[in-house]
Amino acid sequence: MRFLLDPEQRAFADSLNALLTAADTPQVVRAWATGDHTPGRALWSRLADAGVFALAVPEAYEGVGPLPVELAVAFVELGRHGVPGPLVETVAAATLLSELDESGPAKRLLPALASGEALATVALPGGGPFVLDAEAADIHLTVDSPEAPARDTTPNTRLHLSGSSSPTGPARPSLDPARSLTLPHPTGELLAAGPHVTRAAAQALTWARLATAAQALGVGLALLDRTVEYVKQRTQFGVPIGSFQAVKHQLADAKIALEFARPLLFGAALSMAPADVAAAKVAAGEAAYATARTALQLHGAIGYTAEYDLSLWLTKARALRTAWGSPAECRAEVLTVHGPRSTDSGVSGGDPRS
């Protein structure tokens, strides 16, 4: 099945590409990695003016969403340009708040997320042990499930809010220097509790994985484009190395992997089924990581240097591969729905195996 963007979606992607090309994002990324968030927040405001963060916010809270396909379009471009910051986390926070049964927290917090006035980070079950860029975020949301008393079968999932002044603990090293990781602290104001928080968190996790998959696809496309240009310029034996058949084969394999991931991504954005989104994240994350390895090999020694811009996408491809669900976790999600099946005759089909 072919998933083609309509003219408005293509124009939206083109406008974001132009905006980010003019923004010199490599310098923004390097500043963010050193703790200087000023250029990043200025770029964040421009992205908000373009409507990026409003895509995950319902119209009732000053957004234009939820529009998952357009969100995927936007995050491909954000990945292509390596934009730093808690982008996925802000989307997850917006989804979490909008899916609660109680409208109070959404009315209070979502308009600032849609307008870009506030950045958010969030800790969700299944989202990993760390939160991203806590020191830069204005809104910290944490979903936790304390151990219930014996014989109490009612889910006791709770959602806490804390602000930028809350202690975040020491930052942990990340493969991507522009990603600052800290442990979550389930303290602060209690916004909501109960089964509806569990449901909202599950929906937020699905949106986070979709955005991460789109971001990874964009990273992979950027790595491929940069490598293709490089092999046209680098010469050995008097000819560009891009003319060698072995180099062409590696680039073709990377291109095929990325192009197979693209329809999975947009198909998942149409269905928003957790298993479809998990499959898209596996495909996009693995394709981007494979492309990163190819890019590093074909660039040679210069690809290892932190001063060379390629490194900004190399490290991001590796980090996104496991962010918001490792490949194993996402494959397990897919298998819960599309697991091995058999009939009495041993032919594929029938009831799931135990």
Side-chain angles (χ1 to χ4, degrees), residues 219-220 222-228 230-231 234 241-242 244-258 285-304 308 310 313-314 317:
V219 168
L223 286 165
L224 180 62
D225 290 344
R226 287 172 175 268
T227 305
V228 168
Y230 182 76
V231 300
R234 182 183 173 189
I241 64 171
F244 300 152
Q245 190 175 44
V247 172
K248 292 179 181 179
H249 285 172
Q250 291 186 73
L251 292 173
D253 288 342
K255 176 70 171 176
I256 289 170
L258 292 168
E286 298 291 62
Y289 183 53
T291 303
R293 293 172 64 89
T294 296
L296 185 57
Q297 182 175 8
L298 296 184
H299 274 79
I302 193 173
Y304 286 93
Y308 193 57
L310 186 79
W313 282 267
L314 290 174

Side-chain angles (χ1 to χ4, degrees), residues 61-264:
Y61 306 112
E62 302 183 22
V64 298
L67 295 173
V69 175
E70 285 73 13
L71 185 87
V73 170
F75 270 74
V76 169
E77 297 307 316
L78 297 179
R80 191 193 302 271
H81 290 272
V83 178
L87 299 161
V88 173
E89 290 68 22
T90 296
V91 167
T95 304
L96 175 62
L97 292 167
S98 62
E99 291 291 328
L100 294 174
D101 289 349
E102 306 162 14
S103 62
K107 290 180 180 178
R108 174 180 161 193
L109 300 172
L110 283 180
L113 295 182
S115 67
E117 295 177 17
L119 287 65
T121 194
V122 61
L124 296 175
F130 301 109
V131 293
L132 179 68
D133 292 329
E135 78 288 350
D138 307 293
I139 296 171
H140 299 189
L141 297 175
T142 304
V143 175
D144 70 314
S145 300
E147 190 171 319
R151 300 177 184 168
D152 184 359
T153 59
T154 303
N156 194 29
T157 307
R158 303 182 301 188
L159 170 61
H160 286 95
L161 166 69
S162 56
S164 57
S165 60
S166 302
T168 58
R172 307 299 177 97
S174 170
L175 293 165
D176 180 0
R179 294 171 64 88
S180 175
L181 304 176
T182 54
L183 289 171
H185 293 279
T187 58
E189 179 186 353
L190 180 64
L191 291 182
H196 70 109
V197 177
T198 304
R199 293 192 297 269
Q203 189 71 2
L205 178 62
T206 298
W207 277 73
R209 285 178 172 174
L210 178 76
T212 304
Q215 208 175 6
L217 178 60
V219 168
L221 292 171
L223 286 165
L224 180 62
D225 290 344
R226 287 172 175 268
T227 305
V228 168
E229 289 302 315
Y230 182 76
V231 300
K232 292 177 182 178
Q233 300 168 9
R234 182 183 173 189
T235 59
Q236 285 185 352
F237 311 110
V239 296
I241 64 171
S243 64
F244 300 152
Q245 190 175 44
V247 172
K248 292 179 181 179
H249 285 172
Q250 291 186 73
L251 292 173
D253 288 342
K255 176 70 171 176
I256 289 170
L258 292 168
E259 290 305 318
F260 267 101
R262 191 193 301 268
L264 279 176

Side-chain angles (χ1 to χ4, degrees), residues 10-86:
R10 291 196 296 271
F12 181 45
D14 291 343
S15 68
L16 289 177
N17 182 46
L19 184 158
L20 294 169
T21 299
D24 190 15
T25 53
Q27 294 307 314
V28 175
V29 175
R30 288 192 165 91
W32 192 278
T34 64
D36 179 7
H37 301 138
T38 302
R41 292 194 77 115
L43 178 57
W44 191 283
S45 295
R46 293 199 291 275
L47 290 170
D49 291 341
V52 170
F53 304 112
L55 296 170
V57 177
E59 293 183 13
Y61 306 112
E62 302 183 22
V64 298
L67 295 173
V69 175
E70 285 73 13
L71 185 87
V73 170
F75 270 74
V76 169
E77 297 307 316
L78 297 179
R80 191 193 302 271
H81 290 272
V83 178

